[in-house]
Amino acid sequence: MTQYAILIYENESAYMNPAPEVWQTAMQAHTRFAGQVGEKGGKILGGEALQPTPTATSVRADVVTDGPFAETKEALGGFYLIEARDLDHALEIAKLCPAPYGGVEVRPILDTSGG
Amino acid sequence: MPSADAGARPGADASAAVADAHRREWAFVLAATARVTRDIDLAEECVQDAYVAALDAWSRQGVPRNPGAWLTTAARRRALDALRRDRTLRAKLPLLIEPDPPLAGPAPRPGGGTSADGRAEDDVIPDDRLRLVFTCCHPALAREAQVALTLRLVCGLTTAEIAQAFLVSEPAMAARVTRAKKKISAARISYRVPGAAELPDRLDAVLTVVHLLYTTGHTAPGGENLVRADLVDRAIALARMIQALMPDEREASGLLALLLLTDARRATRADAAGRLLLLEDQDRSRWDRDAIGEGATLVAGALRGGRPGRFALQAAIAALHAEAPSYQQTDWPQLLQLYGELLRAWPSPVVALNRAVVRAMVDGPAAALAEIADLEPDQRLAGYRYLPAAKADLLRRLGRRGQAAQAYRAALELTENTAEREFLARRIAEVSAPQGPAEPA
């Protein structure tokens, strides 16, 4: 099994002042996703939703600046850390990950244990 | 001293045999070796070493009966040695493949000889070429990386050769190949043929890469020659290999048919001076009848059994052209119908443009111009040289010479192939000449 991050990039304005239904729909979708990953033979190792980019602070060469690292229309809004057999398996899982206002990016985890 | 007997020949024979085996067997040998190494770079190294060893061994001992099996055994033996030497290092590398459940064994087995654990071998080397092709054309790789990897790993071309074919610098192409290989291993793109559910999409990606290779060779994007024979031949060989390995896949048959039927006209697409000749001006008696016959048989199969795919339909269109006795006697209404079906199977603006050109033969140039006018705002056709070229031709046939010249000039600005540029320049001269028959250049 290999570990992958599923990074969820969405247009954040959709969640800025969401109607209760929007929020509720999103929560239900993610709960459903968590169940589906197991059914597909994968495993969720972790994951979080992030506060929107106006709350972000960047540090580059010790210089602290307001805002996210890169300004893009679709911002990183959350992530999952999963375990899958190979890229095809990870992509099969990623296709189920809710991201109605954008999409997701799948990145293999770099093993830094060295030695 | 050359002598009448074959004493001096084995060396020459051996190098010809190695060159031939490089062309014919590279994909088979590399694919079988990658199964052992589970690492593409190591597999490539071992296969290259095996070819070098073959040159020496074959000139001393003669060319073996089955060069592919000889090379595979040699390459796999090198791979096993390397793996044994580097066991600790390799344990940390991401592996290319999970062993398949039915094939999972204690050790990968080379064809012939004994394996690492001393057991006797079966001589069967599995044909892994499809795994290799599907890995190179995985949708997680960019199209240009798919093309480069296919040429490098499946066809065995050098990075320099690939760079030259696509008019990019060698370091740029080397970087592209390295990036793609790194992604295969780091992201664990699996070394396998996709299952039935994914197969249609994945096969389409493979066939698209082969088709792109063909079209790049068919009308070279730039440079002196209209056709780049090396790329065209590679593409046809790939299409043939895929069709042979997946004979039940109708689109694989469709692609091979399309390439054969199109390539049958290769010798007549330019005149002796290298000037472009249009379909209506080509000498049909010089078309390759064997290729047309083979293509037509394949098309018939590809069209049977359900709704045909885009390659089968394109092949059917090419077959109608190839079998028509003359341009005038071509079955244009049938072509128009096939283009309609193709547009449903593959809603591409390029198909719509081609259909408009056929429309002109059925309903006249004015009807076709109206269709092209509808296509002009499509951003996907912005910069597509055949749109202004087709429009110019219709305007010329309607006698609207000023507008025709303008459209030909627009096409010329978008064209870099020398033969095509000269053709357009001739047309501009014709429609810009004073009324009456054009002056010979």
Side-chain angles (χ1 to χ4, degrees):
Chain A
M1 298 289 264
T2 303
Q3 294 183 4
Y4 296 90
I6 297 178
L7 308 175
I8 303 169
Y9 286 90
E10 287 187 283
N11 187 337
E12 331 181 81
S13 59
Y15 297 107
M16 283 300 192
N17 292 301
E21 310 88 78
V22 170
W23 192 248
Q24 212 178 349
T25 308
M27 288 301 114
Q28 281 165 356
H30 281 277
T31 308
R32 191 163 52 244
F33 172 66
Q36 287 169 323
V37 174
E39 288 163 24
K40 289 276 176 195
K43 202 166 140 190
I44 293 182
L45 303 175
E48 299 293 343
L50 303 180
Q51 294 278 359
T53 51
T55 66
T57 307
S58 301
V59 181
R60 193 193 291 260
D62 285 345
V63 179
V64 174
T65 49
D66 173 46
F69 211 74
E71 297 279 359
T72 56
K73 217 188 277 167
E74 288 172 345
L76 181 64
F79 64 90
Y80 285 100
L81 182 62
I82 64 156
E83 215 169 51
R85 285 191 300 277
D86 55 28
L87 183 65
D88 286 335
H89 189 210
L91 294 176
E92 195 187 325
I93 290 168
K95 282 177 187 164
L96 301 170
C97 181
Y101 308 105
V104 305
E105 179 179 308
V106 177
R107 298 269 291 268
I109 297 298
L110 178 66
D111 181 2
T112 54
S113 57
Chain B
M1 281 286 287
S3 62
D5 65 51
R9 294 294 304 281
D13 282 351
S15 63
V18 169
D20 190 56
H22 193 276
R23 200 159 37 79
R24 290 176 195 276
E25 309 281 4
W26 173 274
F28 181 85
V29 180
L30 179 66
T33 308
R35 179 195 277 269
V36 174
T37 61
R38 300 162 158 218
D39 170 305
I40 284 180
D41 281 325
L42 178 60
E44 263 194 298
E45 243 171 69
C46 295
V47 172
Q48 261 149 11
D49 285 354
Y51 274 94
V52 173
L55 195 56
D56 179 53
W58 297 1
S59 54
R60 282 185 293 107
Q61 301 154 14
V63 178
R65 206 158 24 91
N66 184 343
W70 190 100
L71 286 159
T72 306
T73 304
R76 289 178 144 205
R77 214 165 262 158
R78 279 169 170 72
L80 287 174
D81 286 346
L83 289 174
R84 241 177 260 131
R85 266 199 316 275
D86 294 349
R87 183 154 290 161
T88 43
L89 173 70
R90 294 273 159 209
K92 294 203 177 61
L93 284 180
L95 298 177
L96 182 61
I97 36 168
E98 297 279 343
D100 287 324
L103 289 164
R109 296 170 297 174
T114 47
S115 71
D117 56 2
R119 287 174 315 133
E121 297 299 336
D122 48 337
D123 266 340
V124 181
I125 299 163
D127 192 331
D128 283 333
R129 285 177 295 175
L130 279 180
R131 287 173 180 256
L132 189 62
V133 169
F134 277 103
T135 302
C136 290
C137 299
H138 195 283
L141 300 169
R143 174 74 12 108
E144 53 181 26
Q146 295 174 347
V147 169
L149 273 185
T150 301
L151 284 174
R152 173 68 182 267
L153 299 177
V154 185
C155 302
L157 263 59
T158 64
T159 304
E161 288 169 324
I162 305 168
Q164 203 184 12
F166 286 89
L167 310 172
V168 304
S169 74
E170 197 181 329
M173 185 54 78
R176 190 183 292 176
V177 169
T178 306
R179 257 198 316 274
K181 283 186 186 166
K182 212 173 261 174
K183 180 161 186 187
I184 288 177
S185 105
R188 283 185 74 98
I189 291 178
S190 56
Y191 187 57
R192 63 181 173 87
V193 177
E198 307 161 84
L199 191 62
D201 279 353
R202 296 284 308 275
L203 180 60
D204 189 70
V206 168
L207 299 179
T208 301
V209 164
V210 178
H211 188 243
L212 184 66
L213 276 180
Y214 180 85
T215 50
T216 305
H218 180 74
T219 303
E224 294 294 315
N225 295 322
L226 181 65
V227 177
R228 241 200 221 110
D230 49 347
L231 278 184
V232 165
D233 292 339
R234 292 288 182 176
I236 292 177
L238 276 171
R240 205 177 270 292
M241 177 188 103
I242 294 164
Q243 197 273 335
L245 293 172
M246 308 187 97
D248 296 336
E249 291 297 332
R250 292 153 63 219
E251 280 292 84
S253 299
L255 176 67
L256 177 58
L258 173 62
L259 302 195
L260 287 171
L261 288 161
T262 311
D263 197 53
R265 300 191 281 108
R266 191 199 301 188
T268 65
R269 289 179 56 226
D271 65 12
R275 289 186 305 185
L276 188 73
L277 287 176
L278 294 185
L279 187 59
E280 54 185 304
D281 303 322
Q282 292 173 9
D283 175 1
R284 289 172 187 242
S285 69
R286 290 174 57 221
W287 287 358
D288 181 345
R289 291 292 143 193
D290 290 343
I292 291 172
E294 188 187 355
T297 307
L298 284 162
V299 173
L303 291 175
R304 265 198 301 273
R307 200 175 272 268
R310 64 188 173 110
F311 289 115
L313 286 166
Q314 284 172 275
I317 288 166
L320 267 188
H321 281 302
E323 291 177 327
S326 72
Y327 190 74
Q328 286 69 29
Q329 293 171 69
T330 304
D331 188 347
W332 296 105
Q334 171 76 15
L335 275 176
L336 191 60
Q337 195 196 326
L338 282 171
Y339 267 110
E341 269 189 70
L342 179 59
L343 200 55
R344 277 190 293 281
W346 184 30
S348 144
V350 172
V351 175
L353 178 64
N354 278 292
R355 189 182 61 169
V357 173
V358 173
R359 167 86 61 203
M361 298 305 293
V362 179
D363 298 325
L369 262 184
E371 277 192 20
I372 289 183
D374 289 341
L375 289 171
E376 272 179 303
D378 193 321
Q379 274 309 304
R380 291 170 296 176
L381 286 176
Y384 187 66
R385 62 187 187 273
Y386 297 119
L387 187 143
K391 187 174 148 184
D393 191 56
L394 296 170
L395 289 164
R396 179 182 63 89
R397 281 148 70 181
L398 287 169
R400 290 154 65 175
R401 295 156 54 94
Q403 286 169 292
Q406 203 180 353
Y408 278 125
R409 275 193 286 272
L412 186 61
E413 264 177 43
L414 297 169
T415 303
E416 284 174 31
N417 182 286
T418 307
E420 287 192 336
R421 286 185 64 86
E422 283 170 4
F423 171 82
L424 292 167
R426 282 203 304 279
R427 285 289 204 226
I428 292 171
E430 280 168 32
V431 295
S432 308
Q435 281 290 1
E439 294 290 318

